Amino acid sequence: MTTFTKSHVTGPAYGASGDKPSRRRPGPTRAETLATELAEAITEGRMPPGTTLEEERLAAAHGVSRTPVREALRLLAATGLVEQRPRRGAVVARPEPGRLAEMFQAMAELEAICASLCAVAMTRADKARLASRHAGMAKIVEDGWLDAYRDANVAFHEALYAGSGNGYLAELADATRRRLAPFRAAQLGGRDRLAASHEEHGAIVAAILAGDAPAAAAAVRAHLAATEWSWGVLAGQPSARQD
Amino acid sequence: MTTFTKSHVTGPAYGASGDKPSRRRPGPTRAETLATELAEAITEGRMPPGTTLEEERLAAAHGVSRTPVREALRLLAATGLVEQRPRRGAVVARPEPGRLAEMFQAMAELEAICASLCAVAMTRADKARLASRHAGMAKIVEDGWLDAYRDANVAFHEALYAGSGNGYLAELADATRRRLAPFRAAQLGGRDRLAASHEEHGAIVAAILAGDAPAAAAAVRAHLAATEWSWGVLAGQPSARQD
DNA sequence: GCATGCATGTTTGTATACAATTAGGCGATT
DNA sequence: AATCGCCTAATTGTATACAAACATGCATGC
């Protein structure tokens, strides 16, 4: 499971304007850079599910040849963000509604496990950090800052993954969340939902602070069950439909 | 998460003797075929962790050019079976001992979830099939047929994944098991361990038949905790060391 | 004698050229 | 008029060629 860390991203892409990079970075290869960029474009909704990914077009758009493009697509296909039909090209993955529901359930369970582990494995300092992170989100909720809450929310959940102490598990959860990202409803609902979400977070944090693993798992499941509607998962296909 | 089904495998590889295939299969591309073959070679221990995967050598061995080889390696890298260092080539993945432990724990939790879901989601017919599968393994245990038990054991666990009714979760569990496969101790221990394993399976089956999800989860965790030593996970690195 | 620098070979990364399959449209036939 | 078949265009799959980076060994200097 390859993860695409922000550190791999080199910016808005040199190739957007057609020029190639003069200085060569040591680490990341073109294919990886491309994969990261495409992954972001997909998860952020700029390339909605169903979008066809034509190799030559992508190559031209990023100022590279088809070879790295193909490798990037293979990478994304293995990640699940892209679907490759044998000789019919690649498209941004658009899972069946049933499969989306499966992924959502799996994510809930993965997060529940993470929270359980947090409850028993986190150091006192870690728990304090988590609590303060949660506390910091209160102001965002009061102000009704939707975009900021969305980011902070992702960060909160990723803190849960990291706090499990199990990096592999964290990667699974993160990858699943990323694969579901294109199906989030654009807006999280409204201020009421924001407050409710924050309150549910509070229950999770409390359980973790108390070291109560089963309660933490239950709180996570409840939180995600309540969140479900704010994803496109059960509402049928979202945004794009262009095949 | 791309899965490598047996149906994709076309045999011991035409390229082993250098000749290219005359008839062209419609579906799978060379890269996918290659990826499947390599994945099997790795999970079956024929290419132990640490083995260097030189592109040209692989290309020659399989009678193809470097291009599909590279794509196959990318695929495997995304799957986690292979590790690609930016400009230093690819090797069969050899995770740190700590990471192996994480993967093992994650697998235990994933299987526990699957078993829980089995308990509540399986139809009566499914449960009967699972029970009969388990019963069928008794004879293998009596005869001490180690190899056969190994295969049947994998099939049993995969039946658990499938029985969860959550295909995505099943894929996660399966992929994790595959990634851990190269680190299994060659022999499962002995006849005593065989019998113990079978008995633990019995506890799992019983809990599922009874529809007792928590008991099923607990039984799975107990089973894997008992199995742990038969994997190379905690015993440090296994088989190969050739870098 | 040891360390450092350079030269060379090997291997990966990228680009381009070619082959083959698929998709779509046009025409002929029933 | 509808359907079948073929033909053409577009796109993917594969191979090869070129360029850059890493690794190794040797020679040179200290």
Side-chain angles (χ1 to χ4, degrees):
Chain A
M1 186 130 326
T2 306
T3 59
F4 303 105
T5 58
K6 293 249 178 181
S7 62
H8 279 171
V9 185
T10 51
Y14 42 80
S17 51
D19 55 334
K20 296 176 183 178
S22 49
R23 56 183 164 81
R24 196 164 287 291
R25 291 174 307 291
T29 175
R30 277 171 168 65
E32 295 173 20
T33 307
L34 244 176
T36 311
E37 292 175 9
L38 290 177
E40 279 197 5
I42 293 173
T43 56
E44 289 177 2
R46 248 175 306 144
M47 298 178 99
T51 306
T52 68
L53 300 167
E54 200 176 318
E55 297 179 359
E56 198 152 359
R57 180 181 299 282
L58 288 174
H62 289 261
V64 298
S65 85
R66 276 180 52 211
T67 312
V69 172
R70 284 182 63 81
E71 294 188 6
L73 289 179
R74 273 255 134 75
L75 215 40
L76 294 173
T79 310
L81 279 175
V82 160
E83 188 180 348
Q84 270 185 323
R85 285 94 44 102
R87 285 179 184 265
R88 304 187 48 210
V91 298
V92 177
R94 188 174 51 185
E96 308 277 325
R99 183 166 182 88
L100 281 177
E102 288 181 1
M103 291 170 67
F104 197 89
Q105 181 186 28
M107 191 177 90
E109 294 299 331
L110 287 171
E111 291 205 13
I113 295 171
C114 287
S116 297
L117 293 178
C118 280
V120 300
M122 262 186 163
T123 69
R124 191 161 314 211
D126 287 335
K127 290 184 179 180
R129 242 191 311 276
L130 182 68
S132 89
R133 174 189 295 279
H134 170 63
M137 290 174 72
K139 188 171 185 349
I140 301 177
V141 173
E142 282 177 23
D143 297 350
W145 233 123
L146 283 168
D147 284 351
Y149 188 81
R150 193 174 54 76
D151 293 346
N153 181 53
V154 170
F156 177 81
H157 283 267
E158 286 183 348
L160 242 49
Y161 307 158
S164 72
N166 189 320
Y168 181 75
L169 196 56
E171 282 178 24
L172 290 185
D174 209 51
T176 301
R177 181 167 274 269
R178 238 196 307 267
R179 288 177 67 167
L180 278 171
F183 302 95
R184 271 181 73 94
Q187 294 290 44
L188 254 121
R191 187 169 305 200
D192 48 348
R193 176 62 203 136
L194 226 64
S197 171
H198 187 251
E199 204 157 333
E200 291 153 18
H201 282 189
I204 297 170
V205 171
I208 290 175
L209 291 186
D212 187 341
V220 165
R221 290 200 188 90
H223 174 49
L224 287 201
T227 306
E228 199 154 357
W229 65 266
S230 84
W231 295 60
V233 175
L234 300 182
Q237 295 307 17
S239 1
R241 172 156 315 192
Q242 73 175 68
D243 59 337
Chain B
M1 186 132 320
T2 307
T3 59
F4 303 106
T5 60
K6 291 246 176 183
S7 63
H8 280 171
V9 184
T10 52
Y14 42 81
S17 50
D19 54 335
K20 295 175 182 176
S22 49
R23 57 185 163 77
R24 197 164 288 289
R25 290 174 309 290
T29 175
R30 278 170 168 62
E32 296 174 20
T33 308
L34 243 176
T36 312
E37 292 175 8
L38 290 178
E40 279 198 3
I42 293 172
T43 55
E44 289 176 2
R46 248 176 306 144
M47 297 179 98
T51 307
T52 68
L53 299 168
E54 199 177 320
E55 295 180 0
E56 198 151 0
R57 180 181 300 280
L58 287 174
H62 289 262
V64 297
S65 85
R66 275 180 53 210
T67 312
V69 172
R70 282 182 64 82
E71 294 188 7
L73 289 179
R74 273 256 135 75
L75 215 39
L76 294 172
T79 310
L81 280 175
V82 161
E83 187 180 349
Q84 270 184 320
R85 283 95 42 103
R87 285 180 184 264
R88 303 190 46 208
V91 297
V92 177
R94 189 175 49 185
E96 309 275 327
R99 182 163 183 90
L100 281 177
E102 287 181 2
M103 291 170 67
F104 197 89
Q105 182 186 28
M107 190 176 91
E109 293 300 332
L110 287 171
E111 291 205 13
I113 296 171
C114 287
S116 297
L117 293 177
C118 280
V120 300
M122 262 187 164
T123 68
R124 192 161 312 211
D126 286 335
K127 290 185 178 179
R129 241 192 310 278
L130 183 68
S132 87
R133 175 190 294 280
H134 170 63
M137 290 173 73
K139 190 173 181 346
I140 300 177
V141 173
E142 283 176 22
D143 297 351
W145 233 120
L146 283 167
D147 285 351
Y149 187 82
R150 193 174 53 77
D151 293 346
N153 181 55
V154 171
F156 177 81
H157 283 266
E158 286 183 347
L160 242 49
Y161 307 158
S164 73
N166 189 319
Y168 181 75
L169 196 56
E171 282 177 25
L172 290 185
D174 210 50
T176 302
R177 181 166 274 268
R178 238 197 306 269
R179 288 176 69 166
L180 278 170
F183 302 95
R184 270 181 71 93
Q187 294 290 43
L188 254 123
R191 186 167 306 199
D192 48 348
R193 175 63 202 135
L194 226 64
S197 170
H198 186 252
E199 205 157 333
E200 290 153 18
H201 283 190
I204 298 170
V205 171
I208 290 175
L209 290 186
D212 187 342
V220 164
R221 289 200 188 89
H223 174 48
L224 287 201
T227 306
E228 197 154 357
W229 64 268
S230 84
W231 296 61
V233 175
L234 301 183
Q237 295 307 15
S239 1
R241 173 154 312 194
Q242 74 175 64
D243 60 337

